[in-house]
Amino acid sequence: MSTTDGRRTGSRPGPRHVPRPLRDYALLADGERGALTGPEGDVVWLCVPGWDDPAVFSELIGGAGAFTVRPEPSWKVSGGAYAGGSLIRTARWTMPDAVVECREALAAPAEPHRVVLLRRIRAVTGGARMTVRLAVRGDYGSAPAPVLRRAGGDLWEGTGGALRVRLRGLAGARTGPDGELDAVLDVREGGVRDLVLEIGDRPLGAPVDAESAWRRTEDFWAAAVPSCTGLTAARDVRQAYAVLTGLTSPRTGAMVAAATTSLPEHADADRDYDYRYAWLRDQCYAGQAVALHGPHPLADAAVRVVTERVLADGPGLRPAYRTDGSPVPPEHRLPLCGYPGAADRIGNDAGSQFQLDTFGEALELLATAARHDRLPEDGVRAAEVAGQALEEYWDRPDAGLWELETAWWTHSRLAAVTGLRAAAREIGGPAADRWAGLADTILRTARRRCLHPGGRWQRSATDPGPDAALLRPLASPYWPDGDPAGAATREAVARELAVDGFVYRFRQGDGPLGEAEGAFLLCGFLMASACLVHGRPVAAGRWFERTRTAAGAAGLFAEEYDVESRQLRGNLPQAFVHALLLESAVRLDRAGG
């Protein structure tokens, strides 16, 4: 039986996982896919082999499949933390007579067709009895469970459809009629037990050795994340680097917007989207943020991805792609009950929208690379193609940053202005004068159509309200100096779109700001950067620190934050929020130095 909108109510066995607030989940990721794990030791989200492939663990969104490792006693307190600057996490449970930890990570460097999930149980004090449950369910829980059989000693192997599964570390496990593998592990004080789970869509090859895999994974993260010593909020900045690295494919360089789909931005508001795709704008934000701090493979990856897509698609550039560069599939529903307050869907219709600001952000990223002498020749050609697209389409209404109805959005024009000015200054060449002239033309037209009588920029040619998205181009180093509308816009956003130190995108209707959606954490960090540009470093620090408090228990940010209930909203973790935290921290540090 299902509801009228297709959500499952009783057609298949429901998940065993009890949903938790989003702030309680942690991310494990290797660049090719990501897993979410809850405080009870249950990995409840994982897609195989890649980011937007069907989930094999989907209990997070009402499907089936999970991998649980937890202490047997119910009377316990859970916690945990990442090893600094990595996505290696140690879960910790404290009980009346014992403390036990489970170190966990997706093994890195990643393989494209096999995920390796490492879990190491350690009884810190006292002995621990651990329960283990493995339920692999392909296609968001609808596929038959792989049949797991003992392959000798503590090794289990099985296949189900295209999936191959192998688990090492459970000598005394038993299989149930539904294909689940269950076991109880007794770990003596000081004892260690390794579990290594492999899932792929190709033959798995030789079994993975736990010790070697842990060593390679530790080395990977040590090399991937800089120290950030002395930087403002250095621990959070290092974690931002780790999140961005974990969301970026080492094969293609593309960065997904988030690891999940269908986590609600607002309960029962039909605003649940699939963010397991690579938005070019988001990756431009990340590339520029990292480049501001210094040379890093993440910045080079952003330049490579944007260059490839611009050269391949030209004026037909899409705002988002799959990580392999193919189009994002159309949106459709899954027959699941969904995370509470949400309806499950996969695909995203935004992938076929026209979003003008993407060209501007691409130009500013390429210009940033040129300023640091890291722009290859094909990047120069991509800049020429993006500039030509703006020449042709700058006056065309678009869906804009917020992916709304087609309109003459101010932010899109101002992003084009900063991108063109950046390219003219940093890339130069024969097109420089043409780019600078086009930027002046767009700016004159925008001032005529989008300057509010109060002296600030308004949302669009027809909407007089403020929009926090405008803070992005106004805080760019390529925005014209001495523009009084910039400070006036920032003040209007602070006055009309902020509550308790958190910033909202724009006003929706006549009700309170938090009634329609949560505060947008991206916008809080944009406000901090805008304050610095306008000579208000103390205010910038306050906005930065207030926005930083919205992180969940694992230090992850979602897209939105419910100010009243102090809860995260939307898909997790949101890459561009972590990118803007990094950028704001670097800007604050340099303003103070």
Side-chain angles (χ1 to χ4, degrees):
M1 182 172 78
S2 64
T3 61
T4 56
D5 63 3
R7 287 183 279 177
R8 181 189 57 74
T9 59
S11 59
R12 291 185 286 188
R16 291 192 187 181
H17 176 65
V18 177
R20 300 292 295 255
L22 296 180
R23 64 178 293 109
D24 290 345
Y25 291 96
L27 171 74
L28 310 176
D30 62 11
E32 296 294 352
R33 76 285 291 175
L36 256 62
T37 178
E40 290 299 308
D42 36 6
V43 179
V44 290
W45 179 253
L46 176 67
C47 298
V48 174
W51 286 107
D52 66 322
D53 288 307
V56 297
F57 301 153
S58 59
E59 290 189 3
L60 177 71
I61 62 170
F67 182 25
T68 301
V69 176
R70 67 161 64 103
E72 190 174 72
S74 59
W75 190 253
K76 58 183 178 289
V77 174
S78 61
Y82 289 110
S86 79
L87 293 182
I88 299 172
R89 188 172 187 274
T90 299
R92 184 180 179 93
W93 296 277
T94 301
M95 294 160 283
D97 54 358
V99 175
V100 64
E101 294 179 343
C102 182
R103 194 177 192 225
E104 48 199 11
L106 296 192
E111 300 178 32
H113 293 282
R114 174 172 69 165
V115 58
V116 179
L117 175 54
L118 305 172
R119 308 188 86 167
R120 173 167 284 177
I121 306 163
R122 183 170 73 96
V124 180
T125 60
R129 171 159 285 191
M130 308 292 291
T131 61
V132 180
R133 168 183 168 250
L134 174 64
V136 178
R137 296 286 189 276
D139 200 15
Y140 304 97
S142 67
V147 178
L148 293 172
R149 295 184 174 89
R150 191 186 300 275
D154 62 356
L155 189 66
W156 296 79
E157 294 181 339
T159 60
L163 292 177
R164 276 81 166 175
V165 181
R166 177 190 289 143
L167 177 65
R168 166 166 278 176
L170 290 183
R174 62 185 183 277
T175 56
D178 54 1
E180 292 188 3
L181 197 65
D182 295 285
V184 174
L185 293 179
D186 287 312
V187 186
R188 293 177 298 177
E189 182 172 13
V192 173
R193 297 289 296 270
D194 278 310
L195 301 177
V196 180
L197 174 65
E198 304 169 59
I199 307 176
D201 65 346
R202 304 275 177 89
L204 296 176
V208 172
D209 174 70
E211 193 62 42
S212 299
W214 275 115
R215 187 164 54 250
R216 288 193 300 270
T217 302
E218 291 161 357
D219 291 345
F220 170 85
W221 286 110
V225 176
S227 69
C228 304
T229 301
L231 197 63
T232 300
R235 182 179 180 85
D236 284 357
V237 172
R238 294 197 77 212
Q239 203 59 47
Y241 267 108
V243 169
L244 297 175
T245 299
L247 297 179
T248 300
S249 168
R251 289 182 303 114
T252 68
M255 180 191 79
V256 295
T260 57
T261 182
S262 305
L263 298 183
E265 297 177 6
H266 197 281
D268 299 317
D270 200 34
R271 291 183 52 215
D272 332 295
Y273 304 107
D274 191 349
Y275 280 6
R276 299 172 297 159
Y277 306 106
W279 267 257
L280 294 184
R281 175 196 305 107
D282 298 25
Q283 190 146 18
C284 288
Y285 288 175
Q288 292 177 61
V290 170
L292 183 66
H293 189 213
H296 191 277
L298 287 172
D300 296 336
V303 170
R304 183 172 77 253
V305 168
V306 168
T307 295
E308 290 172 353
R309 297 276 53 83
V310 170
L311 290 178
D313 293 344
L317 186 71
R318 298 170 181 265
Y321 295 84
R322 300 183 70 204
T323 55
D324 64 1
S326 61
V328 173
E331 189 176 291
H332 67 278
R333 293 286 179 91
L334 291 173
L336 305 176
C337 64
Y339 182 91
D344 290 331
R345 67 187 81 197
I346 57 176
N348 198 305
D349 292 339
S352 60
Q353 289 181 346
F354 171 61
Q355 297 176 17
L356 181 75
D357 71 295
T358 303
F359 291 100
E361 293 294 348
L363 278 175
E364 191 159 347
L365 171 69
L366 298 174
T368 299
R371 186 173 73 246
H372 293 92
D373 198 26
R374 300 186 74 85
L375 184 67
E377 282 301 314
D378 57 354
V380 176
R381 293 195 300 273
E384 293 168 351
V385 171
Q388 291 167 359
L390 286 174
E391 286 178 322
E392 184 173 355
Y393 293 121
W394 71 267
D395 199 32
R396 175 182 167 185
D398 72 313
L401 166 67
W402 303 135
E403 300 174 347
L404 302 170
E405 70 277 5
T406 299
W408 213 83
W409 298 108
T410 309
H411 167 267
S412 296
R413 311 317 127 177
L414 303 194
V417 169
T418 57
L420 289 163
R421 287 171 59 89
R425 182 189 304 177
E426 308 295 353
I427 300 174
D433 289 343
R434 192 171 75 252
W435 289 337
L438 179 59
D440 291 342
T441 297
I442 298 173
L443 184 55
R444 281 196 303 271
T445 306
R447 281 176 172 151
R448 176 172 55 83
R449 299 187 64 181
C450 301
L451 264 183
H452 189 271
R456 61 166 174 81
W457 292 101
Q458 60 186 44
R459 287 193 70 209
S460 73
T462 56
D463 186 336
D467 189 333
L470 296 167
L471 300 174
R472 176 67 183 179
L474 297 177
S476 168
Y478 302 103
W479 185 253
D481 293 334
D483 174 28
T489 303
R490 174 185 53 75
E491 292 167 0
V493 170
R495 183 175 59 250
E496 300 181 39
L497 298 180
V499 173
D500 197 21
F502 294 97
V503 183
Y504 292 76
R505 296 187 298 170
F506 52 86
R507 183 167 290 281
Q508 302 181 54
D510 298 326
L513 281 170
E515 186 174 76
E517 65 181 15
F520 259 64
L521 299 178
L522 169 78
C523 298
F525 291 124
L526 289 177
M527 177 65 82
S529 293
C531 286
L532 287 174
V533 168
H534 299 145
R536 296 176 58 84
V538 174
R542 288 173 177 166
W543 288 107
F544 176 82
E545 293 297 346
R546 187 58 171 155
T547 305
R548 197 158 67 100
T549 65
L556 304 179
F557 293 97
E559 185 173 41
E560 299 182 25
Y561 182 69
D562 188 316
V563 177
E564 185 173 349
S565 66
R566 300 175 187 264
Q567 296 293 339
L568 297 178
R569 296 285 181 258
N571 284 303
L572 187 76
Q574 192 75 26
F576 64 23
V577 179
H578 290 269
L580 266 294
L581 177 145
L582 192 165
E583 181 178 296
S584 297
V586 174
R587 287 189 177 205
L588 280 165
D589 192 65
R590 294 182 179 174

